[in-house]
Amino acid sequence: MLRYEFLYKTEEGLVFSYFPENSTENPGRVLLTEKGVGRIIAEAKDDFGKRYAIHAIKGIDITKKSGVVAWY
């Protein structure tokens, strides 16, 4: 599970912070475009193997300012 928050918009797309397991220490950042393309800007401290970053890229709803991505 991760929580995400919208940070800002650039010419390339929208930048979001993601918080693995809702941890507020050292969040990661991803950039998402309106076409569904994403890339990692900064990996979160506890994101070994970029698992949370990949879930963030695939699961963040860019129409919302914040939310949760859960999987099982």
Side-chain angles (χ1 to χ4, degrees):
M1 192 259 336
L2 65 87
R3 185 173 55 85
Y4 65 88
E5 292 179 4
F6 172 75
L7 292 177
Y8 56 89
K9 184 176 183 175
T10 70
E11 290 181 12
E12 294 179 63
L14 306 169
V15 178
F16 289 85
S17 283
Y18 69 93
F19 307 91
E21 301 304 323
N22 205 26
S23 172
T24 57
E25 292 185 28
N26 300 309
R29 289 187 179 180
V30 292
L31 180 129
L32 303 170
T33 68
E34 292 179 7
K35 295 181 180 182
V37 178
R39 70 178 167 91
I40 301 166
I41 297 174
E43 194 173 332
K45 178 183 173 186
D46 296 328
D47 191 2
F48 305 107
K50 300 178 183 168
R51 285 179 244 151
Y52 288 95
I54 292 167
H55 282 290
I57 289 170
K58 294 182 181 220
I60 288 176
D61 181 350
I62 64 170
T63 65
K64 297 182 178 179
K65 298 284 184 185
S66 64
V68 173
V69 177
W71 61 94
Y72 38 123

